[in-house]
Amino acid sequence: MEEKSYKEYLQHITTFIFDVDGVLTDGTVQVTSTGEMLRTMNIKDGYALKTAADLGFNICIISGGSNEGVRIRLSALGIKNIYLGVPDKVEQLDNYFKKHSIKSENALFMGDDLPDYHVMKLVGLPCCPQDAVPEIKNISKYVSHKNGGNGAVRDVIEQVLKVQEKWNKNFNAKYD
């Protein structure tokens, strides 16, 4: 049986689920003298997340890491389902799907490292940034040409919205 192209899954995506470190960030942290860990997020990823949220897509963040700054940033983009400090991503995903009546085949999960492996196997479109670990690349139906924290999230959201003819449908052409 021939494997479907990842593009065949895009039309049916209603839900975007992302890990944080290594996906929404480049996976590095700056540690201050007080022990605070600072992360950098890509503004273009943020634009895509806000656009998808504004269009009514389900957006969920499931991360083992816990940082209040990350929660504040993502909340400001209109993301309501932010689960940080999650010890069991599979259980959290299952609860999220049940709570919102989401079918796994309509969900995309972008992860980058081994803690994402089992949860990625439970969605219709597992995907990852270009710099993900080999085990994650091997189970991904789509590997972005962008690295984590450097536009991988924008890449996959933009592709889904373009296929569904929802990307920048309200964009004002005077900004070209």
Side-chain angles (χ1 to χ4, degrees):
M1 185 174 181
E2 188 176 322
E3 180 70 22
K4 288 188 348 183
S5 161
Y6 81 93
K7 290 194 178 248
E8 295 177 63
Y9 295 90
L10 301 180
Q11 185 65 38
H12 307 288
I13 297 299
T14 61
T15 303
F16 295 101
I17 307 160
F18 298 101
D19 178 35
V20 174
D21 292 322
V23 174
L24 284 164
T25 75
D26 67 5
T28 61
V29 293
Q30 293 181 346
V31 182
T32 68
S33 61
T34 62
E36 183 181 7
M37 292 189 281
L38 306 176
R39 291 157 172 87
T40 302
M41 293 184 165
N42 187 298
I43 201 78
K44 291 178 181 143
D45 287 345
Y47 176 78
L49 285 164
K50 177 140 181 52
T51 298
D54 289 350
L55 288 169
F57 282 83
N58 301 308
I59 301 178
C60 178
I61 305 299
I62 302 176
S63 177
S66 185
N67 180 287
E68 196 55 31
V70 168
R71 183 182 311 279
I72 291 167
R73 167 69 177 145
L74 296 173
S75 292
L77 296 173
I79 301 170
K80 295 173 179 56
N81 296 288
I82 304 168
Y83 306 100
L84 304 178
V86 175
D88 185 341
K89 291 184 179 187
V90 170
E91 181 181 352
Q92 183 60 64
L93 180 73
D94 187 48
N95 291 339
Y96 176 73
F97 280 175
K98 285 177 184 171
K99 180 179 179 183
H100 297 282
S101 301
I102 295 169
K103 294 181 181 175
S104 61
E105 61 265 24
N106 299 123
L108 169 161
F109 188 103
M110 181 174 270
D112 70 305
D113 208 345
L114 295 178
D116 303 316
Y117 186 90
H118 294 293
V119 73
M120 288 176 67
K121 302 274 282 181
L122 301 176
V123 299
L125 183 56
C127 53
C128 67
Q130 178 61 44
D131 58 345
V133 300
E135 295 87 348
I136 296 301
K137 284 183 168 181
N138 288 341
I139 63 165
S140 292
K141 291 179 181 168
Y142 176 67
V143 177
S144 176
H145 63 283
K146 301 280 190 172
N147 286 341
N150 290 298
V153 169
R154 164 77 175 251
D155 171 41
V156 75
I157 291 174
E158 188 173 328
Q159 286 193 60
V160 169
L161 297 187
K162 282 182 176 178
V163 164
Q164 295 183 19
E165 297 181 357
K166 297 176 181 175
W167 179 250
N168 273 337
K169 68 180 190 172
N170 297 322
F171 183 69
N172 188 335
K174 73 179 183 179
Y175 294 107
D176 282 346

